[in-house]
Amino acid sequence: MPELPEVENLVCGLRPDLEGAIVRQVIIRWAGALTGITAEEFTAALVGRRITQITRRGKWIAIEAPPGWLLVHLRMTGSLRFSPQRDAELEADRHVHLWFALDRGWLYYRDPRKFGRLRLVPDPGEVTAALGAEPLDPTFTADELAVLLAAHRRQIKPLLLDQHALAGLGNIYVDESLWQAGIHPLRRSHTIGPREVHRLHSAIVSTLRQAVTCGGTTVRDYRGAHNEPGAFQLQLAAYGRQGQPCPRCGRAIERIVVGQRGTHVCPVCQPLVLALDEE
DNA sequence: CACAGCTCCTGGCAGC
DNA sequence: TGCTGCCAGGAGCTGT
């Protein structure tokens, strides 16, 4: 699943390939990947445009091609792959739904589960304005997290997954961050004390930074811009490790369901009882 | 406001 | 071996 670290790696990997490139042709095989625009309009709008920059906001990939922006959300299994040459194998792949012929290569969009979406907008703020804080932005402090948690009475895990609250975390990094901070995913956000908030803030930031450094997490589908897998899956402590020993205490990691999401928790390190000094 | 439930999809897997 | 049927899961949406 592409979450913040995977999207960050993808964007950094694509940047030298895409910035300055001119779109020569757009081939659309499945228009269902497009939001709010027909295949014909999409193609007509993009052909001839020059890509001036590619950035990330939350899990969104934002590609500026004046006078507008191409926004891509990979959801579960989407991927973008750049190739300097035409790739006949990718073009024969039934999961490759569209691609761009650029003046200097080819950019392929692949998505086996067809959850991902592409849209064309005059201003990316139209989509990204509603997103919460960027966890790796210096302005995201423990104090800001404290304000966020105090403003809600929700279970902490669904709150951290809510892109309007915080942008970029998905199932993997929420489970890892809560494990690292020693906080149970069912805890109500407003009951989480100051020391725990600091631990959670550090956990989110360090987990994401480390995952970015590792090239992301490849559990199943994720690949970078040049088809390279990530390596953070080797460092997962909780996610997907049900039945295996907690790296901190040795107790078996359990799998529960929180907010209809598979959730991985250490029953010892992430107790549901509230700490005495924080309540 | 919080949250359950539904939708979109199909590969992968369990069960037979 | 091959079939059926279930499930995961990000986000937008509706209903309570």
Side-chain angles (χ1 to χ4, degrees), chain A residues 39-74:
Chain A
E40 293 71 26
E41 291 166 344
F42 185 83
T43 302
L46 278 174
V47 169
R49 286 198 196 174
R50 180 188 293 273
I51 294 171
T52 53
Q53 61 167 320
I54 171 167
T55 59
R56 177 192 63 75
R57 174 79 171 92
K59 301 178 197 173
W60 283 94
I61 298 163
I63 299 170
E64 186 182 23
W69 292 71
L70 170 63
L71 299 183
V72 184
H73 199 302
L74 301 173

Side-chain angles (χ1 to χ4, degrees), chain A residues 154-155 157-158 161 171 185-186 256-263:
Chain A
R154 305 170 62 178
Q155 294 166 343
K157 174 159 177 172
L161 283 174
N171 213 30
L186 287 173
I256 60 176
V257 175
V258 178
Q260 292 93 248
R261 296 273 140 71
T263 299

Side-chain angles (χ1 to χ4, degrees), chain A residues 139-150:
Chain A
T139 61
F140 176 66
T141 60
D143 286 347
E144 191 179 335
L145 180 62
V147 169
L148 175 68
L149 300 197

